Amino acid sequence: QVQLAESGGGSVQAGGSLRLSCRDSSHLNSYCMGWFRQAPGKEREGVATINDYGTTLYAESVKGRFTISKDKAKNTLYLQMNSLKSEDTAMYYCAGDGSLYCRADERDFGAWGQGTQVTVSS
């Protein structure tokens, strides 16, 4: 059973930075992992994905501001978020066990963390 645990969320002012972490305690070493987010009253959306080749995919709204990375030795996925905006406020979820397509589509992922809250104040 895949167990993903996010950390690093919090409250920050607009323009600030946060780094989210997601540890895979089951050592699944998913080929594809990603970050998704869900704001109140909105559907969950894909933020970024990364595969074992290091190929990344970002939502247009976060390109140039967010960076996804993975440390396989530590079984940990990261999301560095810079120049945060109020519209980035959401619950952020780590996703694992992704398909070979590694798209920012939640249907492609079989494992999920509990989420970590990010709040950006303007």
Side-chain angles (χ1 to χ4, degrees):
Q1 182 179 358
V2 178
Q3 295 182 330
L4 304 174
E6 304 96 335
S7 62
S11 297
V12 64
Q13 290 191 330
S17 298
L18 283 174
R19 188 176 81 154
L20 305 183
S21 298
C22 171
R23 187 170 182 277
D24 172 13
S25 61
S26 64
H27 303 279
L28 179 65
N29 288 322
S30 300
Y31 167 77
C32 172
M33 297 189 73
W35 288 98
F36 289 73
R37 67 186 181 186
Q38 186 168 22
K42 295 187 177 181
E43 294 186 352
R44 188 156 57 182
E45 64 173 352
V47 176
T49 64
I50 186 169
N51 65 20
D52 273 357
Y53 294 101
T55 301
T56 57
L57 179 68
Y58 294 95
E60 286 294 327
S61 59
V62 306
K63 279 184 179 179
R65 299 188 300 121
F66 291 11
T67 302
I68 188 172
S69 61
K70 183 166 61 172
D71 186 331
K72 294 189 70 175
K74 295 182 179 180
N75 296 302
T76 302
L77 179 73
Y78 301 99
L79 184 68
Q80 178 66 44
M81 305 185 294
N82 298 327
S83 301
L84 283 161
K85 305 175 181 180
S86 57
E87 49 263 45
D88 295 318
T89 294
M91 183 71 79
Y92 283 72
Y93 297 91
C94 171
D97 194 23
S99 74
L100 292 179
Y101 297 107
C102 211
R103 300 172 300 186
D105 186 332
E106 61 181 319
R107 295 169 295 181
D108 282 3
F109 292 84
W112 295 86
Q114 294 297 309
T116 185
Q117 178 68 39
V118 171
T119 302
V120 184
S121 58
S122 56

